[in-house]
Amino acid sequence: MSPARFFSVGIVTGSSDATDALTVDLEAPVDLRASLRPFGRWGDDGIDRWDGTTLVRTLRFENRGVVSYVATAAGDLAHPALRLTVPAAASVRSTDIADALRATFVAVPADLARLAAADARVAQLVSAYPGIVPVLVADPFTALVRSISAQQVNLAWAATVRRRLAERYGTRHEIQDTFVYSLHAEAMARATVEELRALQLTTAKARSVIEVARAGVAGELALNDLVALDDEALIAHLTNLRGIGRWSAEWFLARTLGRPRVVAGDLGVRKAVGRLYDAGSLPPEDEVRRLTAHWGESATIVQALALHDLAVAAGNA
């Protein structure tokens, strides 16, 4: 079977012919283009689509399905907003869509000002990159698939693999003149290792995707249940799944729940912290934890700023 034919499988929902417009104001300050840049930096995975101008994503609502949307940045740093187009037939109220979208942008804690006053390196980041905030991947299953895809490979290849998974097992939502995929545990839970290997996942990653999908089907990844766990209990819960280690669990805390967490074992984070504190090109994990222990409630924000600074230095911003 040719790759083009194999990867064309998918469920098509929605319609580009009937849409509603919605403007969502965000809590300032937010630099939308810079904050969304990580979604497009390493290629289009078909799931979180950002081309520098247009954002195409989905929002998942418990018992109400998935809503796709197309958004463009509006306003400015002091008055950020997103102009959305959503399917007119969406079974979710516009106010709920707006609230869910706002919640994907991590709020800057008041403690950041105190931290910047106490740490000149952090102050430099805050001054250089005002309004950059992490944008969450709020669906637990999708977040874990993202982590699995990114384990021990370059991030461009990870995006390619996610695109293949989306095209083979995802639901395709048509909206306006574009599309976006959403991932669902049920479809991947029925996959075989051989099928996933055909998409060029390793055997270990294929087994991990299937186990995580089956956990999702079994109700073990319900967002409300995960939110109720403290950090260490959540890490213990997630690392019981095949292929989910502390690195993936800590990224889940930071990028799905928006909790303050430095992912000290991450290669990029180690480079970013080493650059920030003149601690070498790749300080060890325990040194990264020591250097960032004082970040406290601002950890996820400062981590995002440091990673952006690293990307700027590398010419990838």
Side-chain angles (χ1 to χ4, degrees), residues 54-66:
T54 304
L55 175 67
V56 193
R57 294 186 89 191
T58 59
L59 295 165
R60 191 182 304 273
F61 296 88
E62 188 173 358
N63 301 322
R64 289 181 288 174
V66 171

Side-chain angles (χ1 to χ4, degrees), residues 6-267:
F6 188 78
F7 298 144
S8 69
V9 178
I11 306 166
V12 179
T13 67
S15 168
S16 60
D17 298 326
T19 58
D20 287 334
L22 175 67
T23 297
V24 179
D25 296 318
L26 303 174
E27 182 178 346
V30 176
D31 181 338
L32 281 165
R33 290 173 178 82
S35 296
L36 292 167
R37 183 68 178 94
F39 289 139
R41 180 172 288 135
W42 305 109
D44 181 5
D45 66 3
I47 303 164
D48 299 295
R49 310 187 67 201
W50 170 249
D51 63 5
T53 301
T54 304
L55 175 67
V56 193
R57 294 186 89 191
T58 59
L59 295 165
R60 191 182 304 273
F61 296 88
E62 188 173 358
N63 301 322
R64 289 181 288 174
V66 171
V67 174
S68 59
Y69 66 87
V70 176
T72 55
D76 54 25
L77 190 67
H79 303 91
L82 284 169
R83 293 196 178 101
L84 267 64
T85 300
V86 299
S91 59
V92 180
R93 296 180 305 175
S94 60
T95 52
D96 292 340
I97 293 172
D99 288 345
L101 181 59
R102 288 189 191 99
T104 63
F105 289 83
V106 175
V108 176
D111 187 63
L112 182 61
R114 180 208 59 78
L115 176 62
D119 186 328
R121 302 299 178 93
V122 171
Q124 290 172 358
L125 288 178
V126 172
S127 176
Y129 309 116
I132 292 180
V133 298
V135 184
L136 303 180
V137 178
D139 174 57
F141 176 65
T142 302
L144 292 175
V145 170
R146 286 182 67 91
S147 285
I148 294 166
S149 73
Q151 291 169 359
Q152 299 180 320
V153 297
N154 70 69
L155 296 180
W157 178 246
T160 297
V161 168
R162 288 196 301 277
R163 180 69 174 246
R164 293 175 178 180
L165 286 169
E167 290 175 340
R168 178 63 178 88
Y169 297 102
T171 297
R172 179 176 170 120
H173 307 264
E174 304 281 355
I175 180 167
Q176 288 189 314
D177 57 354
T178 189
F179 65 90
V180 65
Y181 288 94
S182 57
L183 300 183
H184 302 270
E186 294 79 6
M188 289 192 205
R190 296 191 294 269
T192 66
V193 170
E194 292 72 24
E195 288 170 347
L196 295 179
R197 290 283 292 126
L199 304 185
Q200 294 187 278
L201 275 79
T202 65
T203 298
K205 289 185 179 181
R207 288 173 175 163
S208 182
V209 165
I210 292 169
E211 179 160 328
V212 167
R214 290 175 178 171
V217 171
E220 297 173 18
L221 300 179
L223 182 59
N224 288 341
D225 293 340
L226 299 179
V227 168
L229 299 175
D230 66 30
D231 287 4
E232 292 307 315
L234 180 59
I235 289 171
H237 177 73
L238 293 178
T239 54
N240 278 330
L241 298 171
R242 181 196 297 265
I244 302 299
R246 190 173 186 89
W247 175 85
S248 296
E250 289 194 323
W251 272 128
F252 190 95
L253 287 168
R255 289 185 173 168
T256 297
L257 302 187
R259 294 185 187 175
R261 174 65 56 156
V262 174
V263 188
D266 182 82
L267 185 64

